[in-house]
Amino acid sequence: MPWFSRNKPKIEQNDEQRIVQTEGVFTKCPECDSTLYNRDLENSMQVCTKCAYHFRIGANLRLELLFDNGKFEELDQEVTSADPLEFVDSKPYKDRIEQAKKSSGLPEAIISGKGEVGGHRVYAGAMDMSFIGGSMGSAVGEKITRLIERAMKTRGAVVIFSASGGARMQEGTLSLMQMAKISAALAQLHEKQLPFISVLTDPTTGGVTASFAMLGDVILAEPKALIGFAGPRVIEQTIRQKLPKGFQRSEFLLEHGMVDKVVDRREMRKTIIRMLDFMMNPEIK
Ligand SMILES: [Zn+2]
């Protein structure tokens, strides 16, 4: 005879119901395995409250977290990718763009906007991995260049959050050309003595690293972000050497002088304001 018996009927619940009930409530941290309330995560800017793991975030949230009161005017929304090469890989590039627009809800792999940060006039862009891997095509290059040109016209600062797999293969040379175009615009910005703050987020790779992301007057990075040009496997095969541990992460790059400061996302806005106070109004503050 069992010591205990169940008088009440068993609660009937299938797996499907259970998933529905917990979906959108918890997120598991991939770094420390903690189960986190989504509401807590939202309050901590999508940073794990236990181990400070930085979850990837989208372009719109990035800009909201930067600008005063989360307010900005979106710029160049109509600038989107064309398909000048009529490129087809496993599927036509045109279809790929349409699909990316639908799934990401974004017009391109970067959102740019104008607004105030700590009272300073700022033109900011944020890249988004959910749009064809945050790749830099002609439209991304054009949007960044216009951002810089606007900053020069009205004496504003430029802040760009990078998150990219690199150049957009489907646009070939036209995509690579953006590296030179943006770099040239940044050189002009420099001559006008206006600051460019580059923020590297996970991951910043390829043509973006090889151009504007590393041209900041100040280069900030989020903790443990993957930052590099080529992937570790390609480099190991090329130089035939084992790479050191933590290679291509923010902290390693800071130690080797490629990054100026590793900044927790929750301190990012404050840090950028302090830098703008210093660089935009040297005689006042
Ligand atoms: Zn964690």
Side-chain angles (χ1 to χ4, degrees):
M1 199 183 105
W3 287 16
F4 301 102
S5 64
R6 183 187 280 271
N7 297 326
K8 288 182 194 163
K10 269 190 183 172
I11 298 167
E12 289 291 336
Q13 192 185 43
N14 57 33
D15 283 345
E16 215 168 296
Q17 277 175 317
R18 208 167 335 179
I19 290 164
V20 169
Q21 280 168 7
T22 56
E23 197 182 7
V25 179
F26 297 110
T27 299
K28 197 171 178 161
C29 172
E31 184 90 9
C32 71
D33 280 344
S34 301
T35 308
L36 307 159
Y37 271 114
N38 282 350
R39 206 184 35 216
D40 291 346
L41 257 184
E42 217 170 280
N43 290 335
S44 68
M45 304 181 177
Q46 303 294 323
V47 175
C48 175
T49 48
K50 305 272 158 57
C51 75
Y53 171 80
H54 283 51
F55 286 84
R56 288 181 185 176
I57 61 171
N60 275 309
L61 179 57
R62 234 354 127 189
L63 295 187
E64 277 167 28
L65 293 176
L66 172 72
F67 284 109
D68 295 353
N69 305 315
K71 277 193 195 140
F72 63 96
E73 182 195 325
E74 195 178 332
L75 302 167
D76 303 318
Q77 221 176 341
E78 74 289 355
V79 179
T80 53
S81 292
D83 181 17
L85 304 179
E86 293 174 9
F87 195 87
V88 179
D89 50 282
S90 59
K91 60 179 142 185
Y93 178 42
K94 261 203 178 89
D95 296 355
R96 219 176 261 284
I97 297 171
E98 279 316 307
Q99 197 187 18
K101 280 184 188 168
K102 248 182 234 158
S103 63
S104 68
L106 300 168
E108 247 306 329
I110 188 165
I111 298 287
S112 54
K114 162 192 158 183
E116 293 199 336
V117 179
H120 300 286
R121 183 178 294 129
V122 167
Y123 292 84
M127 302 188 79
D128 199 307
M129 282 297 285
S130 65
F131 195 103
I132 320 186
S135 53
M136 174 170 60
S138 316
V140 170
E142 179 63 19
K143 284 179 89 167
I144 296 177
T145 307
R146 286 189 188 189
L147 204 63
I148 300 164
E149 286 171 349
R150 282 201 180 88
M152 286 193 279
K153 257 185 210 145
T154 59
R155 293 207 66 79
V158 177
V159 179
I160 297 173
F161 294 89
S162 298
S164 178
R168 193 169 298 169
M169 312 286 201
Q170 294 86 349
E171 290 186 29
T173 312
L174 295 166
S175 167
L176 294 179
M177 203 189 88
Q178 306 309 315
M179 296 165 62
K181 185 166 106 181
I182 299 168
S183 303
L186 283 174
Q188 290 180 324
L189 186 79
H190 176 76
E191 274 169 27
K192 294 241 154 73
Q193 300 190 315
L194 292 166
F196 165 43
I197 299 176
S198 176
V199 186
L200 316 178
T201 76
D202 186 56
T204 297
T205 60
V208 168
T209 310
S211 62
F212 65 89
M214 287 297 180
L215 290 176
D217 293 306
V218 179
I219 302 173
L220 306 176
E222 282 196 338
K224 293 186 183 162
L226 175 74
I227 301 159
F229 180 61
R233 206 165 26 140
V234 175
I235 300 172
E236 274 185 337
Q237 280 167 3
T238 310
I239 63 171
R240 290 156 198 257
Q241 270 180 39
K242 200 103 189 86
L243 295 167
K245 207 169 162 262
F247 172 74
Q248 291 189 322
R249 294 281 164 187
S250 309
E251 293 72 13
F252 187 91
L253 270 77
L254 175 71
E255 253 172 60
H256 292 79
M258 299 285 283
V259 161
D260 294 309
K261 200 172 167 56
V262 176
V263 183
D264 189 294
R265 187 179 295 157
R266 294 163 288 188
E267 299 294 320
M268 190 61 82
R269 183 178 134 81
K270 218 167 66 187
T271 306
I272 291 176
I273 290 176
R274 218 174 58 220
M275 286 171 176
L276 291 174
D277 284 346
F278 179 70
M279 294 191 281
M280 295 292 281
N281 287 325
E283 64 282 343
I284 300 168
K285 308 220 170 181

